[in-house]
Amino acid sequence: MHLAPEAPTSAVVAAVSVNDMRDRIRRKSRLKGRQPEDHAMADVAALLGPRPADGFRQDLLIEYLHRLNDHFGVLHDRHLVALAKQLNRPMAEVYEVASFYHHFEIVRGADAVAPRLVLRVCDSLSCSLAGAGELLAQLPERLRAAGQGDVQVQAVPCVGRCEQAPVAVVHQCPVPHATVDAVLETANLKPNQALALHPKGLSAINFDIVELAEKSVPAQPDGISPAHTDLATYRAHGGYQTAAALVNGEMDAEAVLTAMEDSGLRGLGGAGFPAGRKWRIVRDQPAPRLMAVNIDEGEPGTFKDRTYLERDPHRFLEGVLIAAQVVGTEAVYIYLRDEYHGCRALLQTALDDLHAQPPCPLPHIELRRGAGAYICGEESAMIESIEGKRGEPRMRPPYIAQVGLFGRPTLEHNFETLYWVRDIVERGPGWFASFGRHGRKGLRSFSVSGRVRHPGVKLAAAGITLQELIDEYCGGLLDGHALYAYLPGGASGGILPASLNNIPLDFDTLQPYGCFIGSAAVIVLSQHDRARDAALNVMRFFEHESCGQCTPCRVGTAKAAALMRAPQWDEELLDDLAQVMGDASICGLGQAAPNPIRCIHKYFPHEVGEAPWPGDLPKPRNSPLAEQLPMGLQP
């Protein structure tokens, strides 16, 4: 048998020079694939600032992307490569985060340039009812005719100004009740991104939300920037006294927690979980504990958080301080949707003022900026985004109260929930619970839009009916319109017919009818509209906003939107699809997306060929939503 010769015992080892070793280290330290360019590295370094001793924070990736996007108007691929190098992070990770969010546009090549301006036109339900389709059809042609072909027009999901429909945004400057001429005038007056910013509001006023109980919140004169409460005015009217007493040990934390539980306050972002119970659950978790505040108000039809924030940021911040002290959280992260540019500037100023003149020791507070992803309104997706990742929901368990932000127990709250904390603590839990109708308790901030005379935020008693809301708060319907249908809880809350206009609107009252109140976004439809068109509009929204993580939602929303375009629906197929989406989707987006389908089958079968058209219902004509159907499929 032939054997290979043994290696000599004294084999010669090749010598490796110091230069060889340095070259090997340099090769290993380089990013795989495309290498960063020197001028791109210089651009990124200038915007990121001096490198911290322990390196740039990984969780601030989205903030760094915003700096690049704000400065250059787009995200150049060369800058993404340079940013990956600065963060010592794989280019694939930086790219997958940047490409996830709608407000980041990645361009390739040295010759790529950003548009001079971007005109965004909301095409969600309330704005579509008010004529957004005409804006989208006419603006590109008018811009080209005016020699402004370098201005880009985009259809975008809800921008949170549904009471001002239709709404356009010139870069960051909103145009309420937009017409083609008004949008073009704004673009001419603000011809570049440096000028097209959100106007600053005047201060100061004392905005006392308690005085508006069971009233409408007054609209601002210019439609964009209302006067607001600054720190001096807020403190002059007793602001931060409760937070300071609690932090300084002059008030018992357990008594505050008991007041929250007794008030019956529930999460006002949509889920409705009892606030006091959530505080107690998180407080019982081991330290360190964190807090995350959700102001990613993206549900079509919802604008209450924006309305309150732009009038009084300090009442919200005092609620944050009280909650942080009672629960024992060491740091607070406030996540604000990117569309709220004016609110971001206002809130940052309020935080700066608060740190400059603190009424008591403050926890660490960071304001984080979203990047255009409705899914980040889901609590675990928001936490992923705060950590600098794609905003994809997490599987449960564990729940974020146990393992949340950065792996720590986390108290997550919606903006409005915290907005009520100060008044509940100071006035007692019985004060908040004293409001209510039809057996319900508490106050609810209804965002009302659609076919009513006076849309806006209505601070009404929990349990008020739609008809009472329209008659007492909205001045009735528009001339020539009669109630036909309504969405009681925004895009995901379902659609109800006019015959069910006397259901008490509150948590737990709408589920028997296949709907839920969610964030209390009420969109009113008239006989000039079709419920099936509204259902298709919101399904397209869900298709656009699905994070794509799970197949039932990613594929189901797209398939449902395609099937819903047919003049006669395939009832069996759509029902099967709705069942799979509801049962198998990871988060509430996919689980709630089928609600409009089920409501159409149940309450509006005549619109989709499943029943004859009732003789007492006029067929709608000239509906602004009918353009969403292919030619020949309109009624």
Side-chain angles (χ1 to χ4, degrees), residues 17 69 335 392 464 468 557 618:
S17 69
N69 199 72
Y335 191 87
E392 295 177 339
I464 192 172
E468 291 169 340
T557 51

Side-chain angles (χ1 to χ4, degrees), residues 136-220:
L136 289 166
Q138 296 179 28
L139 276 172
E141 182 179 350
R142 290 283 300 274
L143 287 166
R144 286 192 295 269
Q148 299 189 56
D150 56 349
V151 176
Q152 185 181 93
V153 179
Q154 291 181 355
V156 298
C158 186
V159 296
R161 291 184 171 271
C162 315
E163 83 279 27
Q164 301 168 351
V167 177
V169 182
V170 179
H171 184 49
Q172 296 183 1
C173 181
V175 183
H177 307 294
T179 63
V180 173
D181 289 339
V183 174
L184 294 176
E185 180 182 2
T186 302
N188 287 329
L189 293 174
K190 303 175 184 291
N192 55 58
Q193 295 182 8
L195 295 175
L197 302 177
H198 194 290
K200 292 184 178 180
L202 299 175
S203 61
I205 62 167
N206 178 41
F207 182 80
D208 189 350
I209 187 62
V210 174
E211 295 179 354
L212 293 175
E214 299 190 293
K215 298 179 182 178
S216 298
V217 177
Q220 56 267 46

Side-chain angles (χ1 to χ4, degrees), residues 500-525:
L500 295 177
N501 63 340
N502 287 313
I503 303 172
L505 299 178
D506 196 15
F507 299 112
D508 310 322
T509 61
L510 295 164
Q511 281 83 342
Y513 303 91
C515 297
F516 59 85
I517 193 170
S519 58
V522 177
I523 306 176
V524 179
L525 307 180

Side-chain angles (χ1 to χ4, degrees), residues 539-616:
M539 187 59 71
R540 284 178 167 170
F541 170 80
F542 292 135
E543 177 189 4
H544 182 265
E545 294 299 323
S546 171
C547 75
Q549 180 180 192
C550 62
T551 302
C553 178
R554 181 185 67 251
V555 177
T557 51
K559 183 65 174 177
L563 291 170
M564 292 165 70
R565 292 171 60 87
Q568 182 167 335
W569 283 11
D570 187 329
E571 181 178 4
E572 183 177 356
L573 182 56
L574 276 168
D575 282 345
D576 286 346
L577 187 60
Q579 185 72 37
V580 172
M581 291 170 64
D583 290 346
S585 295
I586 291 175
C587 80
L589 190 154
Q591 295 164 8
N595 286 344
I597 295 175
R598 297 189 179 106
C599 287
I600 297 300
H601 286 322
K602 186 173 184 178
Y603 302 116
F604 307 94
H606 54 279
E607 292 193 8
V608 293
E610 296 170 2
W613 199 283
D616 60 340

Side-chain angles (χ1 to χ4, degrees), residues 53-210:
D54 53 353
F56 291 106
R57 288 170 53 182
Q58 300 294 311
D59 62 298
L60 292 178
L61 172 57
I62 295 170
E63 299 295 318
Y64 299 147
L65 291 170
H66 272 304
R67 294 185 195 181
L68 291 168
N69 199 72
D70 287 347
H71 185 80
F72 295 101
V74 292
L75 290 177
H76 292 280
D77 57 346
R78 61 180 182 272
H79 291 141
L80 295 183
V81 176
L83 181 59
K85 176 66 174 178
Q86 290 278 20
L87 297 179
N88 193 27
R89 196 164 175 174
M91 170 60 188
E93 289 185 8
V94 174
Y95 181 85
E96 72 174 5
V97 171
S99 60
F100 179 84
Y101 296 94
H102 301 313
H103 291 180
F104 295 143
E105 182 177 357
I106 302 172
V107 297
R108 295 176 173 82
D111 298 331
V113 296
R116 175 168 57 85
L117 277 178
V118 176
L119 304 185
R120 296 176 174 88
V121 179
C122 174
D123 67 352
S124 289
L125 182 55
S126 298
C127 284
S128 291
L129 289 172
E134 296 179 8
L135 291 175
L136 289 166
Q138 296 179 28
L139 276 172
E141 182 179 350
R142 290 283 300 274
L143 287 166
R144 286 192 295 269
Q148 299 189 56
D150 56 349
V151 176
Q152 185 181 93
V153 179
Q154 291 181 355
V156 298
C158 186
V159 296
R161 291 184 171 271
C162 315
E163 83 279 27
Q164 301 168 351
V167 177
V169 182
V170 179
H171 184 49
Q172 296 183 1
C173 181
V175 183
H177 307 294
T179 63
V180 173
D181 289 339
V183 174
L184 294 176
E185 180 182 2
T186 302
N188 287 329
L189 293 174
K190 303 175 184 291
N192 55 58
Q193 295 182 8
L195 295 175
L197 302 177
H198 194 290
K200 292 184 178 180
L202 299 175
S203 61
I205 62 167
N206 178 41
F207 182 80
D208 189 350
I209 187 62
V210 174

Side-chain angles (χ1 to χ4, degrees), residues 125-442:
L125 182 55
S126 298
C127 284
S128 291
L129 289 172
E134 296 179 8
L135 291 175
L136 289 166
Q138 296 179 28
L139 276 172
E141 182 179 350
R142 290 283 300 274
L143 287 166
R144 286 192 295 269
Q148 299 189 56
D150 56 349
V151 176
Q152 185 181 93
V153 179
Q154 291 181 355
V156 298
C158 186
V159 296
R161 291 184 171 271
C162 315
E163 83 279 27
Q164 301 168 351
V167 177
V169 182
V170 179
H171 184 49
Q172 296 183 1
C173 181
V175 183
H177 307 294
T179 63
V180 173
D181 289 339
V183 174
L184 294 176
E185 180 182 2
T186 302
N188 287 329
L189 293 174
K190 303 175 184 291
N192 55 58
Q193 295 182 8
L195 295 175
L197 302 177
H198 194 290
K200 292 184 178 180
L202 299 175
S203 61
I205 62 167
N206 178 41
F207 182 80
D208 189 350
I209 187 62
V210 174
E211 295 179 354
L212 293 175
E214 299 190 293
K215 298 179 182 178
S216 298
V217 177
Q220 56 267 46
D222 68 350
I224 302 177
S225 303
H228 61 274
T229 302
D230 61 7
L231 178 59
T233 304
Y234 185 72
R235 296 192 69 172
H237 290 82
Y240 290 116
Q241 289 182 5
T242 299
L246 185 62
V247 173
N248 295 331
E250 300 167 6
M251 182 179 291
D252 180 48
E254 181 62 30
V256 173
L257 182 51
T258 301
M260 290 294 297
E261 292 173 327
D262 293 345
S263 71
L265 179 68
R266 299 172 64 168
L268 298 173
F273 193 86
R277 190 191 307 173
K278 182 183 287 190
W279 287 23
R280 194 173 292 280
I281 289 171
V282 178
R283 193 175 73 158
D284 289 342
Q285 302 301 313
R289 295 175 287 271
L290 302 176
M291 183 175 176
V293 183
N294 189 342
I295 324 182
D296 194 62
E297 186 178 48
E299 180 77 13
T302 311
F303 47 91
K304 61 183 178 61
D305 291 351
R306 188 211 86 231
T307 298
Y308 292 143
L309 175 54
E310 64 189 5
R311 288 164 172 79
D312 184 5
H314 288 285
R315 190 173 301 269
F316 154 70
L317 290 174
E318 182 162 14
V320 169
L321 298 183
I322 293 171
Q325 181 65 25
V326 171
V327 177
T329 60
E330 298 185 359
V332 179
Y333 296 81
I334 301 173
Y335 191 87
L336 177 66
R337 72 179 306 201
D338 191 33
E339 289 85 349
Y340 288 173
H341 302 289
C343 288
R344 185 170 63 253
L346 184 64
L347 186 53
Q348 187 60 62
T349 299
L351 284 168
D352 293 342
D353 292 344
L354 192 61
H355 281 98
Q357 303 178 55
C360 57
L362 305 176
H364 177 76
I365 303 176
E366 289 189 18
L367 176 59
R368 294 296 187 86
R369 179 180 175 185
Y374 166 74
I375 191 63
C376 290
E378 196 276 340
E379 59 181 13
S380 65
M382 177 188 68
I383 283 175
E384 290 285 297
S385 189
I386 293 173
E387 292 180 356
K389 306 171 186 174
R390 295 163 62 91
E392 295 177 339
R394 298 176 179 177
M395 296 292 290
R396 298 176 181 84
Y399 297 94
I400 68 168
Q402 303 163 311
V403 182
L405 188 58
F406 305 122
R408 302 297 185 185
T410 302
L411 175 67
E412 187 274 344
H413 263 316
N414 164 260
F415 168 90
E416 193 200 351
T417 311
L418 294 166
Y419 201 73
W420 288 110
V421 169
R422 172 194 167 185
D423 289 294
I424 288 174
V425 174
E426 292 182 357
R427 298 173 185 275
W431 167 79
F432 188 80
S434 67
F435 297 94
R437 296 190 188 185
H438 307 294
R440 311 303 297 179
K441 293 183 178 181

